[in-house]
CSV table of all heavy atoms in Angstrom, one decimal:
chain,number,residue,atom,x,y,z
A,235,TYR,N,119.1,-90.6,62.5
A,235,TYR,CA,118.7,-89.6,61.6
A,235,TYR,C,117.2,-89.7,61.2
A,235,TYR,O,116.6,-90.8,61.3
A,235,TYR,CB,119.5,-89.9,60.2
A,235,TYR,CG,121.0,-89.9,60.4
A,235,TYR,CD1,121.6,-91.1,60.7
A,235,TYR,CD2,121.7,-88.7,60.4
A,235,TYR,CE1,123.0,-91.1,61.0
A,235,TYR,CE2,123.1,-88.7,60.6
A,235,TYR,CZ,123.7,-89.9,60.9
A,235,TYR,OH,125.1,-90.0,61.1
A,236,GLY,N,116.7,-88.6,60.7
A,236,GLY,CA,115.4,-88.5,60.1
A,236,GLY,C,115.6,-87.8,58.8
A,236,GLY,O,116.2,-86.7,58.8
A,237,LEU,N,115.2,-88.3,57.7
A,237,LEU,CA,115.3,-87.6,56.4
A,237,LEU,C,113.9,-87.1,56.0
A,237,LEU,O,113.0,-87.9,55.9
A,237,LEU,CB,115.9,-88.6,55.3
A,237,LEU,CG,117.4,-88.6,55.3
A,237,LEU,CD1,117.9,-89.4,56.5
A,237,LEU,CD2,117.9,-89.2,54.0
A,238,ILE,N,113.8,-85.8,55.8
A,238,ILE,CA,112.5,-85.2,55.5
A,238,ILE,C,112.6,-84.5,54.2
A,238,ILE,O,113.6,-83.9,53.8
A,238,ILE,CB,112.1,-84.3,56.7
A,238,ILE,CG1,110.7,-83.7,56.4
A,238,ILE,CG2,113.1,-83.2,56.9
A,238,ILE,CD1,110.1,-83.0,57.6
A,239,GLU,N,111.5,-84.5,53.4
A,239,GLU,CA,111.3,-83.8,52.2
A,239,GLU,C,109.9,-83.4,52.0
A,239,GLU,O,109.0,-84.3,52.2
A,239,GLU,CB,111.8,-84.6,51.0
A,239,GLU,CG,111.9,-83.7,49.7
A,239,GLU,CD,112.6,-84.4,48.6
A,239,GLU,OE1,112.3,-85.6,48.3
A,239,GLU,OE2,113.4,-83.8,47.9
A,240,GLN,N,109.6,-82.2,51.6
A,240,GLN,CA,108.2,-81.7,51.4
A,240,GLN,C,107.3,-82.1,52.6
A,240,GLN,O,106.2,-82.6,52.4
A,240,GLN,CB,107.7,-82.2,50.1
A,240,GLN,CG,108.4,-81.6,48.9
A,240,GLN,CD,107.9,-82.0,47.6
A,240,GLN,OE1,106.8,-82.6,47.5
A,240,GLN,NE2,108.6,-81.6,46.5
A,241,GLY,N,107.8,-81.9,53.8
A,241,GLY,CA,107.0,-82.2,55.0
A,241,GLY,C,106.8,-83.6,55.3
A,241,GLY,O,106.1,-83.9,56.3
A,242,THR,N,107.4,-84.5,54.6
A,242,THR,CA,107.1,-85.9,54.8
A,242,THR,C,108.4,-86.6,55.3
A,242,THR,O,109.5,-86.4,54.6
A,242,THR,CB,106.6,-86.7,53.5
A,242,THR,OG1,105.4,-86.0,53.1
A,242,THR,CG2,106.3,-88.1,53.8
A,243,LEU,N,108.4,-87.4,56.4
A,243,LEU,CA,109.5,-88.1,56.8
A,243,LEU,C,109.7,-89.3,55.9
A,243,LEU,O,108.9,-90.2,55.8
A,243,LEU,CB,109.3,-88.6,58.2
A,243,LEU,CG,110.6,-89.2,58.9
A,243,LEU,CD1,111.6,-88.1,59.2
A,243,LEU,CD2,110.2,-89.9,60.2
A,244,LEU,N,110.9,-89.3,55.2
A,244,LEU,CA,111.1,-90.4,54.2
A,244,LEU,C,111.7,-91.6,54.8
A,244,LEU,O,111.4,-92.7,54.4
A,244,LEU,CB,112.1,-89.9,53.1
A,244,LEU,CG,111.7,-88.6,52.4
A,244,LEU,CD1,112.9,-88.1,51.5
A,244,LEU,CD2,110.5,-88.8,51.5
A,245,ALA,N,112.5,-91.5,55.8
A,245,ALA,CA,113.1,-92.6,56.5
A,245,ALA,C,113.7,-92.1,57.8
A,245,ALA,O,114.0,-90.9,57.9
A,245,ALA,CB,114.2,-93.2,55.6
A,246,SER,N,113.9,-93.0,58.8
A,246,SER,CA,114.6,-92.7,60.0
A,246,SER,C,115.3,-93.9,60.5
A,246,SER,O,114.9,-95.0,60.2
A,246,SER,CB,113.6,-92.1,61.0
A,246,SER,OG,112.7,-93.1,61.5
A,247,GLY,N,116.3,-93.7,61.3
A,247,GLY,CA,117.1,-94.8,61.9
A,247,GLY,C,118.5,-94.5,62.0
A,247,GLY,O,119.0,-93.4,61.7
A,248,THR,N,119.3,-95.5,62.5
A,248,THR,CA,120.7,-95.3,62.6
A,248,THR,C,121.3,-95.4,61.2
A,248,THR,O,120.6,-95.8,60.3
A,248,THR,CB,121.3,-96.4,63.5
A,248,THR,OG1,121.1,-97.7,62.8
A,248,THR,CG2,120.8,-96.4,64.9
A,249,LEU,N,122.6,-95.1,61.0
A,249,LEU,CA,123.2,-95.2,59.7
A,249,LEU,C,123.1,-96.6,59.2
A,249,LEU,O,122.7,-96.8,58.0
A,249,LEU,CB,124.7,-94.7,59.8
A,249,LEU,CG,125.4,-94.7,58.5
A,249,LEU,CD1,124.8,-93.8,57.5
A,249,LEU,CD2,126.9,-94.4,58.7
A,250,LYS,N,123.3,-97.6,60.1
A,250,LYS,CA,123.3,-99.0,59.7
A,250,LYS,C,121.9,-99.3,59.2
A,250,LYS,O,121.7,-100.0,58.2
A,250,LYS,CB,123.7,-99.8,60.9
A,250,LYS,CG,123.6,-101.3,60.7
A,250,LYS,CD,124.8,-101.9,60.1
A,250,LYS,CE,124.8,-103.3,59.8
A,250,LYS,NZ,123.8,-103.8,58.9
A,251,GLU,N,120.9,-98.9,60.0
A,251,GLU,CA,119.5,-99.2,59.6
A,251,GLU,C,119.1,-98.6,58.2
A,251,GLU,O,118.5,-99.2,57.4
A,251,GLU,CB,118.5,-98.7,60.7
A,251,GLU,CG,118.5,-99.6,61.9
A,251,GLU,CD,117.9,-98.9,63.1
A,251,GLU,OE1,117.5,-97.7,63.1
A,251,GLU,OE2,117.7,-99.6,64.1
A,252,LEU,N,119.6,-97.3,58.0
A,252,LEU,CA,119.3,-96.6,56.8
A,252,LEU,C,120.0,-97.3,55.6
A,252,LEU,O,119.4,-97.5,54.5
A,252,LEU,CB,119.7,-95.2,56.9
A,252,LEU,CG,118.8,-94.3,57.8
A,252,LEU,CD1,119.4,-92.9,57.9
A,252,LEU,CD2,117.4,-94.2,57.3
A,253,GLN,N,121.3,-97.7,55.9
A,253,GLN,CA,122.0,-98.4,54.8
A,253,GLN,C,121.3,-99.7,54.4
A,253,GLN,O,121.1,-100.0,53.2
A,253,GLN,CB,123.4,-98.8,55.4
A,253,GLN,CG,124.4,-97.7,55.4
A,253,GLN,CD,125.7,-98.0,56.2
A,253,GLN,OE1,125.7,-98.9,57.0
A,253,GLN,NE2,126.7,-97.2,55.9
A,254,ASP,N,120.8,-100.4,55.4
A,254,ASP,CA,120.1,-101.7,55.1
A,254,ASP,C,118.7,-101.4,54.4
A,254,ASP,O,118.3,-102.2,53.5
A,254,ASP,CB,119.8,-102.5,56.3
A,254,ASP,CG,121.1,-103.0,56.9
A,254,ASP,OD1,122.1,-103.0,56.1
A,254,ASP,OD2,121.2,-103.5,58.0
A,255,GLN,N,118.1,-100.3,54.8
A,255,GLN,CA,116.7,-100.0,54.2
A,255,GLN,C,116.9,-99.5,52.7
A,255,GLN,O,116.2,-99.9,51.9
A,255,GLN,CB,116.1,-98.8,54.9
A,255,GLN,CG,115.2,-99.2,56.1
A,255,GLN,CD,114.8,-97.9,56.8
A,255,GLN,OE1,114.3,-96.9,56.2
A,255,GLN,NE2,115.0,-97.8,58.1
A,256,VAL,N,117.9,-98.6,52.5
A,256,VAL,CA,118.0,-97.9,51.3
A,256,VAL,C,118.8,-98.7,50.3
A,256,VAL,O,118.6,-98.7,49.1
A,256,VAL,CB,118.5,-96.5,51.5
A,256,VAL,CG1,118.6,-95.7,50.2
A,256,VAL,CG2,117.6,-95.8,52.5
A,257,PHE,N,119.9,-99.3,50.8
A,257,PHE,CA,120.8,-100.1,49.9
A,257,PHE,C,120.9,-101.5,50.3
A,257,PHE,O,121.8,-101.9,51.0
A,257,PHE,CB,122.2,-99.5,49.9
A,257,PHE,CG,122.3,-98.1,49.2
A,257,PHE,CD1,122.2,-97.0,50.0
A,257,PHE,CD2,122.5,-98.0,47.8
A,257,PHE,CE1,122.2,-95.7,49.4
A,257,PHE,CE2,122.5,-96.8,47.2
A,257,PHE,CZ,122.4,-95.6,48.0
A,258,PRO,N,119.9,-102.4,50.0
A,258,PRO,CA,120.0,-103.7,50.5
A,258,PRO,C,121.1,-104.5,49.9
A,258,PRO,O,121.6,-105.5,50.5
A,258,PRO,CB,118.6,-104.4,50.1
A,258,PRO,CG,118.0,-103.4,49.1
A,258,PRO,CD,118.7,-102.1,49.3
A,259,TYR,N,121.7,-104.0,48.8
A,259,TYR,CA,122.9,-104.7,48.2
A,259,TYR,C,124.1,-103.7,48.4
A,259,TYR,O,123.9,-102.5,48.2
A,259,TYR,CB,122.7,-105.0,46.8
A,259,TYR,CG,121.7,-106.2,46.6
A,259,TYR,CD1,120.4,-105.9,46.4
A,259,TYR,CD2,122.2,-107.5,46.8
A,259,TYR,CE1,119.5,-107.0,46.3
A,259,TYR,CE2,121.3,-108.5,46.7
A,259,TYR,CZ,119.9,-108.3,46.5
A,259,TYR,OH,119.1,-109.3,46.4
A,260,LYS,N,125.2,-104.3,48.7
A,260,LYS,CA,126.4,-103.5,48.8
A,260,LYS,C,127.5,-104.0,47.9
A,260,LYS,O,127.5,-105.2,47.5
A,260,LYS,CB,127.0,-103.6,50.3
A,260,LYS,CG,126.0,-103.2,51.3
A,260,LYS,CD,126.5,-103.5,52.7
A,260,LYS,CE,125.5,-103.5,53.8
A,260,LYS,NZ,124.3,-102.8,53.6
A,261,SER,N,128.4,-103.1,47.5
A,261,SER,CA,129.5,-103.5,46.6
A,261,SER,C,130.6,-104.0,47.4
A,261,SER,O,131.1,-103.5,48.3
A,261,SER,CB,130.0,-102.3,45.8
A,261,SER,OG,128.9,-101.8,45.0
A,262,LEU,N,131.1,-105.2,46.9
A,262,LEU,CA,132.3,-105.8,47.4
A,262,LEU,C,133.4,-105.7,46.4
A,262,LEU,O,133.2,-106.2,45.2
A,262,LEU,CB,132.1,-107.3,47.8
A,262,LEU,CG,133.2,-108.0,48.4
A,262,LEU,CD1,133.5,-107.5,49.8
A,262,LEU,CD2,133.0,-109.5,48.4
A,263,ARG,N,134.5,-105.1,46.7
A,263,ARG,CA,135.6,-104.9,45.7
A,263,ARG,C,136.8,-105.8,46.2
A,263,ARG,O,137.2,-105.7,47.4
A,263,ARG,CB,136.1,-103.5,45.6
A,263,ARG,CG,135.1,-102.7,44.8
A,263,ARG,CD,135.6,-101.3,44.5
A,263,ARG,NE,134.4,-100.5,44.2
A,263,ARG,CZ,134.3,-99.2,44.4
A,263,ARG,NH1,135.3,-98.6,44.9
A,263,ARG,NH2,133.2,-98.6,44.0
A,264,ILE,N,137.2,-106.6,45.3
A,264,ILE,CA,138.3,-107.5,45.7
A,264,ILE,C,139.5,-107.3,44.7
A,264,ILE,O,139.2,-107.2,43.5
A,264,ILE,CB,137.9,-109.0,45.7
A,264,ILE,CG1,136.9,-109.2,46.9
A,264,ILE,CG2,139.1,-110.0,45.8
A,264,ILE,CD1,136.5,-110.6,47.2
A,265,CYS,N,140.7,-107.2,45.2
A,265,CYS,CA,141.9,-107.1,44.4
A,265,CYS,C,142.5,-108.5,44.5
A,265,CYS,O,142.9,-108.9,45.5
A,265,CYS,CB,142.7,-106.0,45.1
A,265,CYS,SG,143.7,-105.2,43.9
A,266,ALA,N,142.6,-109.1,43.3
A,266,ALA,CA,143.1,-110.5,43.3
A,266,ALA,C,143.7,-110.8,42.0
A,266,ALA,O,143.4,-110.2,41.0
A,266,ALA,CB,141.9,-111.5,43.6
A,267,SER,N,144.5,-111.9,41.9
A,267,SER,CA,145.2,-112.2,40.7
A,267,SER,C,144.1,-112.8,39.7
A,267,SER,O,144.2,-112.5,38.5
A,267,SER,CB,146.3,-113.2,40.9
A,267,SER,OG,145.8,-114.4,41.6
A,268,SER,N,143.1,-113.5,40.2
A,268,SER,CA,142.0,-114.0,39.4
A,268,SER,C,140.9,-114.4,40.3
A,268,SER,O,141.0,-114.6,41.5
A,268,SER,CB,142.5,-115.2,38.6
A,268,SER,OG,142.8,-116.3,39.5
A,269,VAL,N,139.7,-114.4,39.7
A,269,VAL,CA,138.5,-114.9,40.5
A,269,VAL,C,137.8,-115.8,39.5
A,269,VAL,O,137.7,-115.6,38.3
A,269,VAL,CB,137.5,-113.8,41.0
A,269,VAL,CG1,138.2,-112.8,41.9
A,269,VAL,CG2,136.9,-113.1,39.8
A,270,PRO,N,137.2,-116.9,40.1
A,270,PRO,CA,136.5,-117.9,39.2
A,270,PRO,C,135.2,-117.2,38.5
A,270,PRO,O,134.6,-116.4,39.2
A,270,PRO,CB,136.0,-119.0,40.1
A,270,PRO,CG,136.6,-118.7,41.5
A,270,PRO,CD,137.1,-117.3,41.5
A,271,GLU,N,135.0,-117.5,37.3
A,271,GLU,CA,133.9,-116.9,36.5
A,271,GLU,C,132.5,-117.1,37.1
A,271,GLU,O,131.7,-116.2,37.1
A,271,GLU,CB,133.9,-117.4,35.1
A,271,GLU,CG,134.7,-116.5,34.2
A,271,GLU,CD,134.7,-117.0,32.7
A,271,GLU,OE1,133.7,-117.6,32.3
A,271,GLU,OE2,135.7,-116.7,32.0
A,272,ASN,N,132.3,-118.3,37.7
A,272,ASN,CA,131.0,-118.6,38.2
A,272,ASN,C,130.6,-117.7,39.5
A,272,ASN,O,129.5,-117.8,40.0
A,272,ASN,CB,130.8,-120.1,38.5
A,272,ASN,CG,131.8,-120.5,39.6
A,272,ASN,OD1,132.6,-119.7,40.1
A,272,ASN,ND2,131.6,-121.7,40.1
Side-chain angles (χ1 to χ4, degrees):
Y235 305 90
L237 273 75
I238 184 173
E239 189 173 44
Q240 292 184 9
T242 302
L243 189 71
L244 303 172
S246 67
T248 61
L249 183 60
K250 175 85 182 62
E251 286 164 352
L252 291 173
Q253 283 169 339
D254 291 346
Q255 271 174 49
V256 182
F257 291 94
Y259 289 95
K260 300 175 200 334
S261 295
L262 180 72
R263 284 191 200 148
I264 291 190
C265 209
S267 57
S268 64
V269 301
E271 264 182 31
N272 65 350

